Amino acid sequence: MGDMGGAQVTEAVAGAVALLRTATDRDWAGTRAGRLAWSCREAAEHIASDLIAYAGQLAGRATTAYVPFALTLDDGTDHDGVLDVVETTGALLAAAVATTPPDVRAFHPYPFRSADRVGFAAMGVTEVVLHTHDIAEGLGLTYEPPAGLCAEVLGRIFPHVQPGTDPWRTLLWATGRGDLPGRPPVTEWRWRNNLAVGTERLTLQGVTPAAAADLAAGGDGGFDWPDGGPYQGTRDAAGMLRKAYEAGVHRPEWGVFTLVRRTDGRAIGGIGFHGAPDEDGRVEVGYDLVPAARGAGHATEALRALAGWALQRPEVTAVFATTEPDNHASQAVLARAGFTRVADDAELFAYELRGR
């Protein structure tokens, strides 16, 4: 999977508008949009409103709330005019995504109070394809967006949803719009943007399943790496994340994070959990850095931040890590981050940091 961006927003909008323009002579205002309480006209206007809102969040670099504006169409705007607005707002979001640096995050309430450009692109695409489906269902049209586009959306902002063999049917099921064999009906749902944890010099960017698949396959995961890419440990961790996602057991906040340097936006390492906390509240962490970034305290800074974040969660009592006896650099990182050595043998030393 490649990085989701403005091109995918444009693709989704173009496909939706092309279909809906074939039915502009019908009664949109008097026809319910699928299972929604809105009419088809209201659903179409909602698509445009969301696209411009997301563009505004990115362009305005909003960090604490939605930018306080709303889209209002001129009186007398016909259905073709509404679709003109959808095309225009889609172009604005695509442009905002394309011109926003990858490390910028803007406010979005769920679930971690922010999203990056990839998240806003994925949310925009989701609004377009789902509400086009709703409108098409109301108007009796046949609509199915590209499978690759749906798989990208699922892998970016539905990391908690086990992928299925048909990405479009899986997305419809995950949003309460259809059934999947062997899975219970969905009555409430939310997408999940990735978590970011900030430090003085770094941003720990949560790796999505889509980015993990690219990293595990030898790609860059949408990040700018020095020296040709991440250290092998990051690729291995990404592969384990992807397997957990495919098995339906991935917990996004207990996954993998990329260390992004604030000064230049470059990714210099990986850090993450080996899974969710166990029944005793213990969670294991691991980390690595590209060779060029070692020796500057970045690993210690990242470990302090992620361990601190974990220990603020009520289900966590302790964070632990293991390292080889001859890995003195890693042992020094753990000691500087406040960890205490609690056990050792000929193969591994174990370190722990307990909550208060």
Side-chain angles (χ1 to χ4, degrees):
M1 291 184 179
D3 198 10
M4 171 165 276
Q8 286 73 20
V9 175
T10 300
E11 179 184 8
V13 170
V17 169
L19 174 70
L20 296 180
R21 284 206 190 277
T22 67
T24 53
D25 58 339
R26 303 187 192 182
D27 180 15
W28 289 21
T31 303
R32 182 175 173 180
R35 305 183 186 188
L36 302 181
W38 295 332
S39 69
C40 292
R41 169 75 179 219
E42 289 170 327
E45 293 182 2
H46 176 79
I47 293 173
S49 293
D50 276 341
L51 293 173
I52 191 64
Y54 295 158
Q57 292 302 99
L58 282 176
R61 305 292 195 263
T63 58
T64 59
Y66 279 117
V67 179
F69 72 96
L71 179 67
T72 303
L73 276 64
D74 291 342
D75 291 341
T77 301
D78 62 12
H79 302 332
D80 276 304
V82 174
L83 295 177
D84 288 341
V85 176
V86 170
E87 285 184 312
T88 301
T89 53
L92 290 172
L93 177 57
V97 169
T99 56
T100 299
D103 58 321
V104 168
R105 297 184 74 88
F107 174 82
H108 187 276
Y110 193 81
F112 301 118
R113 311 293 289 178
S114 71
D116 60 12
R117 65 182 188 181
V118 173
F120 278 105
M123 290 187 289
V125 169
T126 303
E127 294 286 356
V128 171
V129 299
L130 291 181
H131 292 314
T132 299
H133 162 81
D134 299 331
I135 298 167
E137 191 172 61
L139 298 177
L141 303 173
T142 299
Y143 172 69
E144 183 164 339
L149 198 61
C150 299
E152 278 285 345
V153 164
L154 289 166
R156 299 293 177 183
I157 57 172
F158 290 89
H160 53 295
V161 173
Q162 183 178 14
T165 56
D166 186 327
W168 176 228
R169 306 300 165 208
T170 303
L171 182 59
L172 290 176
W173 169 82
T175 57
R177 290 171 167 82
D179 300 317
L180 277 183
R183 301 197 196 186
V186 173
T187 57
E188 294 183 2
W189 64 274
R190 293 273 193 176
W191 53 47
R192 295 177 65 90
N193 279 293
N194 63 334
L195 173 65
V197 178
T199 74
E200 181 180 356
R201 298 181 296 168
L202 303 168
T203 300
L204 279 54
Q205 292 267 20
V207 175
T208 65
D214 189 55
L215 283 168
D220 58 18
F223 298 96
D224 178 20
W225 298 87
D227 301 328
Y231 196 63
Q232 187 59 41
T234 297
R235 295 199 187 280
D236 293 342
M240 290 187 288
L241 187 160
R242 183 68 189 184
K243 289 180 180 178
Y245 170 64
E246 292 173 347
V249 296
H250 176 49
R251 294 274 301 278
E253 63 269 39
W254 303 109
V256 180
F257 299 78
T258 298
L259 279 58
V260 179
R261 200 161 46 197
R262 290 180 182 270
T263 54
D264 58 6
R266 306 199 79 184
I268 59 170
I271 190 169
F273 301 104
H274 291 196
D278 63 20
E279 61 274 12
D280 296 320
R282 299 173 75 243
V283 63
E284 185 175 2
V285 67
Y287 48 88
D288 64 29
L289 291 176
V290 298
R294 295 173 186 170
H298 291 111
T300 301
E301 187 173 329
L303 181 58
R304 283 174 180 159
L306 196 61
W309 177 87
L311 290 171
Q312 291 176 359
R313 303 290 292 260
E315 66 268 39
V316 176
T317 59
V319 180
F320 75 98
T322 60
T323 185
E324 295 82 2
D326 60 351
N327 192 341
H328 303 297
S330 181
Q331 294 164 30
V333 167
L334 289 161
R336 287 194 298 268
F339 284 67
T340 301
R341 197 161 95 189
V342 293
D344 56 75
D345 57 32
E347 296 183 356
L348 290 174
F349 289 172
Y351 287 76
E352 185 177 73
L353 180 65
R354 299 195 64 83
R356 292 174 182 258

